[in-house]
Amino acid sequence: MTTRRDLLAGLGATPLLAMPRLARAQGGYPARAVTIVVPFPPGGGTDVLARILAQNLQESWRQSVVVENRGGGAGRIGLQQVQRAQPDGHTLLVTSTGGIMGLAGAGGDAAFGVRDHLTPVSLIAAPAYVIAMHPGVGAKTVGELVALAKQRPGHFTFGSSGTGAASHLAAELFCSMAGIEMLHVPYRGTGPALTDLIAGRIHLMFAPPQTVSAAVAANQVVNLAVTSERASALLPGVPPASSTGLPGYAAVGWFGLFAPKGLPAPIASKIAADAAAALSTQATKDRLATLGAEPEPLTPDAFTAYIDADIAKWQRVVRERNITLE
């Protein structure tokens, strides 16, 4: 499976070392207020990350940076607003894996290319999920869970924040690689799913770690594994699924910064450099850590390659698992 590390190595990436010179070369940007569109309602992870970034960019640019929530249509309304905007860098978009997956669709014979639709500017963060399990399941490792699921096909259930959401696709990839079948139970958000997990009405969730942390602390839920390729410094003691029973498994839900298609490369590079600087401060790292995330800025080219490879992976999962995207 292609990982973010592999992609960067393939690009010869030292992602943002050359950016400051480009940033200075585009000193006239921004010329006025900048709007960052979030295609989801306030309060979610995408919105929180966008507001952290906006605050830092406003201080750096000495221009107003406003976050505008345009929810609806599973993220399509806000995304289309950005696609219609002038590609001058004064309208930006912060969205997630699910938002771009909705744009890409299930996929057909032609490969998806994100630059046919938007200008990727920079990755913001790519937080892993945890495999959160009800203690009654009894598994101590991913290998034990897989063995139990093979003994009882279709018995185990997993909740998600909705069909086609990253939390759903992460679980479907897990089932596909493990050769098991579990029943998907979609919810309207992670909150209702967690309520049912605690009550034992479902067995598992692939969830953002901060959403289940209180339940884990209360011994109502067990963090069986993390879904990143490597252990997370933010989740000490929680091993990667790949090291405890499912080699090669990795699934993260990333968040990124975009602009309309056709944004000039020097402006994209300046925004990426300024975003990287904003994300590198200790205060920002501390705020991201509360969301279970670490800053992972990339150059526009590296981010483009990362998106196209990641979407191709999820399109394969959708086709192989016969998932209908909402």
Side-chain angles (χ1 to χ4, degrees):
M1 177 181 296
T2 302
T3 66
R4 183 165 59 258
R5 183 190 296 171
D6 298 329
L7 286 167
L8 295 180
L11 289 164
T14 48
L16 291 165
L17 296 182
M19 287 299 192
R21 184 178 299 171
L22 286 167
R24 288 194 294 272
Q26 292 298 315
Y29 172 87
R32 59 182 186 277
V34 174
T35 297
I36 298 179
V37 175
V38 173
F40 306 109
T46 309
D47 178 63
V48 172
L49 285 171
R51 291 179 187 279
I52 292 172
L53 184 61
Q55 179 181 340
N56 283 274
L57 290 176
Q58 181 166 280
E59 293 172 1
S60 172
W61 289 342
R62 299 185 184 279
Q63 290 280 4
S64 176
V65 181
V66 178
V67 174
E68 180 180 332
N69 296 91
R70 290 298 303 272
R76 287 187 292 273
I77 292 175
L79 188 147
Q80 289 168 356
Q81 175 183 334
V82 173
Q83 287 179 305
R84 292 191 296 266
Q86 289 296 315
D88 58 9
H90 292 89
T91 300
L92 302 174
L93 171 76
V94 170
T95 191
S96 61
T97 313
I100 300 300
M101 190 63 196
L103 175 65
D109 296 332
F112 173 75
V114 66
R115 277 188 169 150
D116 293 334
H117 307 272
L118 294 164
T119 298
V121 175
S122 179
L123 182 68
I124 298 172
Y129 293 100
V130 290
I131 303 176
M133 182 185 72
H134 188 274
V137 173
K140 302 297 184 185
T141 66
V142 165
E144 290 183 11
L145 173 64
V146 170
L148 289 171
K150 286 182 175 180
Q151 292 170 12
R152 307 182 71 179
H155 168 74
F156 291 104
T157 55
F158 68 90
S160 80
S161 57
T163 300
S167 56
H168 173 210
L169 298 182
E172 294 286 0
L173 177 63
F174 182 93
C175 291
S176 177
M177 292 182 65
I180 61 175
E181 291 299 330
M182 296 192 293
L183 178 64
H184 174 222
V185 183
Y187 291 83
R188 289 183 175 273
T190 55
L194 178 59
T195 297
D196 276 5
L197 179 63
I198 292 170
R201 287 186 281 270
I202 58 174
H203 298 101
L204 301 163
M205 280 178 63
F206 286 62
Q210 72 276 8
T211 65
V212 299
S213 59
V216 170
N219 297 316
Q220 297 169 311
V221 170
V222 175
N223 275 344
L224 185 67
V226 65
T227 64
S228 53
E229 57 187 297
R230 300 181 301 277
S232 170
L234 302 177
L235 294 165
V238 183
S242 60
S243 70
T244 61
L246 196 57
Y249 176 78
V252 297
W254 51 261
F255 300 85
L257 181 65
F258 297 82
K261 177 183 175 182
L263 180 72
I267 296 179
S269 294
K270 172 177 170 50
I271 298 171
D274 291 345
L279 293 169
S280 70
T281 67
Q282 190 58 51
T284 300
K285 290 178 180 178
D286 291 344
R287 292 183 69 186
L288 291 180
T290 66
L291 302 173
E294 299 174 272
E296 302 192 47
L298 294 177
T299 64
D301 285 345
F303 187 35
T304 299
Y306 173 70
I307 293 170
D308 288 347
D310 194 59
I311 294 299
K313 176 180 78 173
W314 294 125
Q315 286 179 326
R316 286 194 298 273
V317 172
V318 167
R319 290 194 299 269
E320 291 169 2
R321 304 291 292 179
N322 295 315
I323 299 167
T324 301
L325 297 176
E326 293 182 341

